[in-house]
Amino acid sequence: MRIPLIAGNWKLHKTLDESAQLVRTLVADLADLHDREIVVAPVFTALATVAAAVNGSTLRLAAQNCYPATTGAYTGEVSPLLLKDVGCSYVIVGHSERRQLLGENDAFINQKAKACIAAGLKVILCIGETLVERETDRMLDVLNRQVSDGLNGISADEMAGVVIAYEPVWAIGTGVTASDEQAQETHAFVRGLLQGLYNPEIAATTRIIYGGSVKPNNIDGLMAQEDIDGALVGGASLKAEDFIRIARFV
Ligand code: 13P
């Protein structure tokens, strides 16, 4: 019922040539996978190049961010309309790096999510607690706020275009992954939130993917969990061999 989604978030990595080389390898080596969705999110400057390479393939293109306006005096920003125009299917919003480094809050992230949906793009909405929040028993409150404020005003019908990425901040880029059990428990909690905000059908059909030090050696255990529907992969998505193994989870 929920098609698994494996997404590579390349963050601020790779030149045009490097991006083209990596995506060409992925397109060739993952062409036989039809029971899952594979997505790559390069830097803005590589979107057009990567779009040309994934065109006609099984891979889909994502942007790492957007600005919630269509056109106008917004120096330095990129709109969902333009991301669609360049060939994106998805946009990542609310990544913890943007929340922490650029001060993005839930209301702004919600505007971005709605702007993407209005432009016909799918959204990967990132949520996740810091280590301090987890250790001081604030994790569930934080996730509840991020999910309910992030999805504010998004209808049940529009939820077909939303994926939630649970990325505990303490697991991002640290080599420390949430255990299979920790991740499963949190995903089940988030699914419960969707049931409360929407209904049992939305809870059952919305994909909730895990991110935070996903590697070839832990993907299979994570994907075996009932409520884990995929992965948002950072570091390991930069190496073709590793990302291919993750995409080929069993
Ligand atoms: P790492 O896989 O490098 O921990 O990054 C996870 C992430 O932030 C993906 O968006």
Side-chain angles (χ1 to χ4, degrees):
M1 182 161 50
R2 301 189 297 263
I3 297 168
L5 171 64
I6 303 290
N9 175 7
W10 296 358
K11 304 190 180 181
L12 183 43
H13 293 284
K14 297 203 181 285
T15 61
L16 271 187
D17 279 352
E18 290 163 352
S19 299
Q21 203 180 343
L22 174 56
V23 73
R24 272 192 233 111
T25 306
L26 299 180
V27 164
D29 286 20
L30 297 172
D32 61 308
L33 290 181
H34 296 289
D35 61 345
R36 58 199 73 184
E37 249 187 297
I38 312 296
V39 173
V40 288
V43 294
F44 279 143
T45 50
L47 281 172
T49 299
V50 175
V54 302
N55 191 19
S57 82
T58 53
L59 269 71
R60 295 289 169 264
L61 186 66
Q64 298 176 19
N65 180 38
C66 70
Y67 189 78
T70 306
T71 56
Y74 304 104
T75 302
E77 296 299 333
V78 177
S79 68
L81 182 75
L82 297 186
L83 296 175
K84 183 138 173 90
D85 187 45
V86 78
C88 287
S89 306
Y90 285 91
V91 181
I92 298 170
V93 304
H95 194 282
S96 64
E97 285 150 14
R98 299 197 62 83
R99 291 180 190 260
Q100 292 197 320
L101 299 171
L102 296 151
E104 292 194 4
N105 63 23
D106 291 305
F108 189 45
I109 291 160
N110 173 248
Q111 285 181 32
K112 294 184 186 209
K114 288 196 282 204
C116 289
I117 292 168
L121 287 160
K122 292 182 182 163
V123 173
I124 299 176
L125 170 66
C126 302
I127 60 166
E129 82 287 357
T130 63
L131 189 58
V132 172
E133 286 162 348
R134 177 174 273 262
E135 286 178 343
T136 53
D137 283 338
R138 283 182 289 151
M139 174 176 96
L140 301 185
D141 284 346
V142 167
L143 296 176
N144 190 357
R145 189 200 72 226
Q146 291 175 339
V147 171
S148 48
D149 291 1
L151 297 176
N152 185 29
I154 295 175
S155 72
D157 284 349
E158 290 168 338
M159 281 301 288
V162 175
V163 175
I164 300 199
Y166 169 59
E167 300 203 297
V169 178
W170 47 271
I172 294 177
T174 58
V176 180
T177 326
S179 68
D180 296 346
E181 294 73 24
Q182 278 174 323
Q184 164 56 28
E185 200 181 326
T186 314
H187 281 229
F189 171 76
V190 173
R191 209 173 287 293
L193 293 176
L194 295 176
Q195 174 148 346
L197 287 170
Y198 294 95
N199 56 53
E201 194 198 331
I202 297 299
T205 53
T206 302
R207 289 176 294 179
I208 305 173
I209 65 176
Y210 170 81
S213 298
V214 173
K215 307 286 177 203
N217 65 5
N218 58 29
I219 185 66
D220 294 341
L222 289 163
M223 291 307 293
Q225 306 304 312
E226 191 181 336
D227 289 297
I228 300 183
D229 305 314
L232 184 53
V233 187
S237 71
L238 300 173
K239 242 180 97 185
E241 187 190 344
D242 286 355
F243 189 67
I244 287 165
R245 172 61 186 87
I246 290 168
R248 290 193 176 282
F249 72 85
V250 287

